[in-house]
Amino acid sequence: MEQQVNYISEALAGLLSELQSLRRTVDSQHAEICSLNRNVDRLLKENRELRKRLEKYEKPPKDSGNSSTPPTKEPLKSEIERRTRSLRKKSDKPVGGQPGHEGTTRRMVEAPDEIENVSSQFCMACGMDLSGIEGELDYVTQEIDLPAIKPIYRERRFYRKVCTCGCCNRDYAPRKRGGNSITFGKNIRAIATYLSVVQCMPYERLQSLFETMFNVSISQGTLANIVRGMLDKSRPATALIERLVRESSVVGFDESGCYVNGKLNWSWIAQTVHLTLVFRGAGRGAKVLEECFGNSLKNMVAVTDRHSAYFAIDFLDNQICLAHLLRNLEYLNDIDTEQTWAKEVQALLREAIHLRNEKPTDVIPKQDWLTRLDDLLKKDLDSLRKEFNELKRGIIRYRDYIFNFLENPAIPYDNNGSERGIRKLKVKQKISGCFRSDTGADAFHALHSIADTAWKNGQSPLDVILALV
């Protein structure tokens, strides 16, 4: 009996020892597991950070063809690809002019300035003199050329007349003290303004052009003063444009940064089919438009991109630019070529645009189109990359402003007119870097507004500038 008790005691002691050994092993393994979990968490965090950093290299590059990136900021490779790639789908029509297209063939004038008779003076076979033989008219062509350009020096002599009553009469402005006896005529001032504003030539090139082509020496400072001096003369015309824009029912808006003396400013455009108004604002917020147009904004339908400032304004209604949406959807197609959601939304928008182009004056109810769009917006995109849900939320937010162009034929489906109107500013900035003064920047904005408005109405911008001089 005593041996059994000792045996049980020894067995229990052995079990206790094994249990303690197992506990130490479990504790050791638990500590090791905790350490591994901490390392896993750290590695997962590092992995997320590295993936985030690598995303910009893995994603297709954004350019003006698949995003709102302006062409001036895209790399040269993207610019080359953009010239051969378009959002427009290829049609089944043949290349070239379509039936009914009005040609632009040059026509001969009835009264040419010069007539030159061309005929043979000797026989090419026997060498006989043919100068005394009257030729028979074979055919007639006309050549367009420019005359030799040389400046015209026009001297003006001012005479004062003394009346018998003793009064001295001067029917002209008195000469400015310290003024130069040589001034530049209206044609030189108009051409300098036209080339600087409309053709975006910098003053250095203008100086070289006048010297080389017109044999006129003119300093860059004088050229700058000519353009700035046009600002006061343009004020009545820009005031008229602003008043007409205020009275318009559909207006396209856009904004872009511009640099004045190295500091960032904001340029705004408000334009219609026949009007362009470009002006500088203190910022990029809604306050700029509210200060400029006031209560007239309540009577306007604004055609814009999805910049939040436009939706903080109490417009009559809004229409977002479908060209922007199509570009954003094209980027999603570049990210994931297998998905179909972005392609289906693109097809829906293009179908609506095509219907409007086929029926340019019809009032088309938009409810059916919104229903089809809602069906696409209800789809679960969680299995796709985050950019898909981001664009989906953006479309949901501005859903009510997508198909307004169908119900109102006067509303365009894109804001390309505003982008074209403000692009001149970006071209000028790309060539010259920035404006050197506030006056020079305001003069460019005002004169561009007048020139672009003239072009929209079929008038020559140079003729309009000549009328201002």
Side-chain angles (χ1 to χ4, degrees), residues 259 428-436:
Y259 287 90
K428 179 71 172 179
Q429 183 173 283
K430 188 175 183 179
I431 295 173
S432 300
C434 69
F435 297 101
R436 302 300 180 188

Side-chain angles (χ1 to χ4, degrees), residues 193-209:
T193 303
Y194 171 81
L195 293 176
S196 175
V197 175
V198 180
Q199 301 300 334
C200 298
M201 289 185 64
Y203 294 136
E204 184 179 1
R205 294 183 189 176
L206 272 177
Q207 183 186 28
S208 175
L209 182 142

Side-chain angles (χ1 to χ4, degrees), residues 156-215:
R156 290 179 174 174
R157 301 180 179 183
F158 299 90
Y159 294 91
R160 59 183 181 179
K161 293 184 178 181
V162 180
C163 181
T164 55
C165 67
C167 178
C168 182
N169 296 274
R170 292 186 178 91
D171 193 17
Y172 47 83
R175 181 175 180 176
K176 296 180 181 179
R177 296 188 61 181
N180 199 320
S181 297
I182 300 294
T183 59
F184 293 103
K186 64 181 298 183
N187 288 336
I188 288 180
R189 285 179 285 155
I191 290 174
T193 303
Y194 171 81
L195 293 176
S196 175
V197 175
V198 180
Q199 301 300 334
C200 298
M201 289 185 64
Y203 294 136
E204 184 179 1
R205 294 183 189 176
L206 272 177
Q207 183 186 28
S208 175
L209 182 142
F210 274 101
E211 180 72 31
T212 305
M213 294 189 62
F214 303 122
N215 197 24

Side-chain angles (χ1 to χ4, degrees), residues 21 35 48 56 62 64 106 142-143 146 174 211 225 229 242 254 257 259 333 357 364 369 395 412 418 421 466-467:
S21 176
S35 176
R48 286 194 297 269
K56 64 178 181 179
K62 284 191 175 184
S64 60
R106 289 183 294 273
Q142 291 185 352
E143 180 183 82
L146 293 174
E211 180 72 31
N225 289 335
E242 181 178 339
D254 201 2
Y259 287 90
N333 290 332
N357 290 336
I364 306 170
W369 295 88
I395 295 177
S418 300
L466 269 168

Side-chain angles (χ1 to χ4, degrees), residues 120-130:
S120 300
Q121 300 300 314
F122 61 90
C123 180
M124 299 181 65
C126 65
M128 178 181 174
D129 183 14
L130 302 178

Side-chain angles (χ1 to χ4, degrees), residues 37 63 159 180 182-183 204 237 250 335 369 377 425 442 456:
N37 285 336
D63 52 39
Y159 294 91
N180 199 320
I182 300 294
T183 59
E204 184 179 1
V250 179
I335 289 178
W369 295 88
L377 296 177
L425 171 75
D442 291 337
K456 285 182 174 181

